[in-house]
Amino acid sequence: MKVPYLVAAQPQPALAPDSATDHFIQLRNVCKSYGEQLVVMDNLNLDMRADDRLVIIGPSGSGKSSLLRVLMGLEGIQGGTIHFQGKPYINGATVRGKPLDENLRTRIGMVFQHYTLFPHLSVLSNLILAPTKVHGLSKAEATERARMYLVRLGLESKLNAYPSQLSGGQKQRVAIARALMLEPKLMLFDEVTSALDPEMVIEVQNVMMQLAEQKMAMIIVTHDMHFARHIATRVVFCANGKVVEQGPPEQIFTQPKEARTREFLEKVLHLD
Ligand SMILES: Nc1ncnc2c1ncn2[C@@H]1O[C@H](COP(=O)(O)OP(=O)(O)OP(=O)(O)O)[C@@H](O)[C@H]1O
Ligand SMILES: [Mg+2]
């Protein structure tokens, strides 16, 4: 059997900057499937500008988390190309998701639905682990940076706490602070509030709004349509492995052009 990701890499040229998209992220004909049958990206094309906050919506199982995991270099694709900041980043020959340029990958931070903090480490140790080990920051420098982010996120009193001593919302805010420690250019959020009690949802969404005000580029997967409308510069509706429709939140939520989008929104807005 032909193993798609072992096909020799084709050299990819860097892209010239283009003010229309600025090529911050560019996906072209991206194909991804699990096994022989389950296609989650079917020649998917998507562009993102450095000042975009994309909110990805779509039916359960439509591949939203898969897309974020691919961008984070956690999973491979079988075909197509992804450029990041104008440079070749991932392609169909990227073995098991390992990006072509590891340096680019470290510019992306991700927060997951279920907190992924190390339970045996304090908040401070969780925060300084990667910057000291991977980025070679001194412990003093990393600690100073950690304090700065914890203050900004209203968590300074939790510096020495352990994850088990934090609420769900606090854990998610620590997870966001930890991702910010590597000073990413792009943040990916995969349903980061869907496991939280309602009052904790707001505190995490407020932190994300703060990042939005600071012009952080973000790709957000959420089932919370109210928040999507609030934070997005552009909403992307995906189904059957493709982008069905995308546009400004006002247009997508009030005047969707595609029947498939309308059908989906009617269903989820009805449930809200
Ligand atoms: N590692 C894997 N191996 C096999 N199948 C997988 C794997 N990861 C995801 N899938 C399948 O791929 C499809 C897309 O999954 P994905 O998690 O990307 O969807 P999603 O859009 O994030 O869904 P949800 O809204 O429920 O989170 C699903 O059918 C899922 O079961
Ligand atoms: Mg998902």
Side-chain angles (χ1 to χ4, degrees):
M1 194 188 84
K2 198 166 129 193
V3 182
Y5 55 69
L6 292 183
V7 173
Q10 296 297 315
Q12 294 178 59
L15 296 166
D18 168 349
S19 58
T21 64
D22 82 7
H23 296 305
F24 184 66
I25 293 271
Q26 188 190 64
L27 280 76
R28 285 295 173 270
N29 301 314
V30 172
C31 296
K32 177 170 181 61
S33 46
Y34 294 108
E36 303 273 302
Q37 302 290 329
L38 186 60
V39 176
V40 290
M41 293 179 215
D42 178 11
N43 287 290
L44 185 84
N45 294 313
L46 185 66
D47 288 283
M48 176 182 186
R49 297 163 45 121
D51 57 359
D52 261 337
R53 291 185 298 281
L54 292 193
V55 171
I56 307 213
I57 60 173
S60 182
S62 59
K64 305 179 295 294
S65 297
S66 301
L67 172 61
L68 296 194
R69 288 201 302 267
V70 163
L71 290 174
M72 195 61 198
L74 299 172
E75 276 184 34
I77 56 176
Q78 281 92 34
T81 58
I82 303 177
H83 282 73
F84 176 35
Q85 293 190 317
K87 300 191 187 88
Y89 176 50
I90 288 171
N91 65 23
T94 314
V95 179
R96 282 191 296 277
K98 195 177 178 321
L100 302 167
D101 185 340
E102 184 56 24
N103 207 14
L104 285 177
R105 200 197 61 77
T106 63
R107 297 180 198 165
I108 305 181
M110 181 160 176
V111 184
F112 301 82
Q113 176 176 8
H114 294 287
Y115 349 102
T116 46
L117 301 175
F118 294 111
H120 61 290
L121 295 180
S122 69
V123 165
L124 178 64
S125 302
N126 263 285
L127 260 61
I128 68 173
L129 189 68
T132 50
K133 287 252 167 6
V134 184
H135 282 219
L137 237 65
S138 73
K139 201 172 166 198
E141 284 169 322
T143 302
E144 192 182 324
R145 193 181 289 178
R147 273 185 205 283
M148 191 257 302
Y149 280 118
L150 290 173
V151 168
R152 207 184 279 180
L153 272 58
L155 288 163
E156 63 273 36
S157 63
K158 301 296 179 189
L159 191 84
N160 295 311
Y162 283 82
S164 61
Q165 299 168 317
L166 303 175
S167 72
Q170 288 167 342
K171 281 183 213 170
Q172 279 307 52
R173 284 189 286 149
V174 172
I176 294 173
R178 191 177 57 175
L180 293 173
M181 285 290 290
L182 296 175
E183 306 198 311
K185 299 285 179 257
L186 169 67
M187 285 284 285
L188 310 176
F189 294 91
D190 193 2
E191 297 200 42
V192 294
T193 58
S194 55
L196 300 179
D197 290 340
E199 69 270 30
M200 292 171 189
V201 168
I202 300 295
E203 66 184 52
V204 174
Q205 289 181 344
N206 283 343
V207 166
M208 292 168 72
M209 285 307 300
Q210 249 184 54
L211 291 176
E213 278 156 25
Q214 291 154 13
K215 305 281 174 235
M216 174 67 80
M218 304 190 224
I219 305 181
I220 300 163
V221 172
T222 181
H223 287 286
D224 183 336
M225 297 300 140
H226 180 75
F227 181 59
R229 196 164 176 170
H230 200 50
I231 197 163
T233 54
R234 196 146 53 90
V235 176
V236 180
F237 173 64
C238 293
N240 303 326
K242 294 199 187 287
V243 172
V244 174
E245 181 169 0
Q246 55 180 310
E250 309 76 54
Q251 183 251 308
I252 296 291
F253 288 115
T254 60
Q255 292 174 309
K257 293 192 181 98
E258 301 292 330
R260 187 76 189 80
T261 318
R262 271 200 301 279
E263 214 175 277
F264 171 79
L265 287 174
E266 271 163 21
K267 218 182 277 170
V268 293
L269 293 173
H270 179 68
L271 293 176
D272 260 3

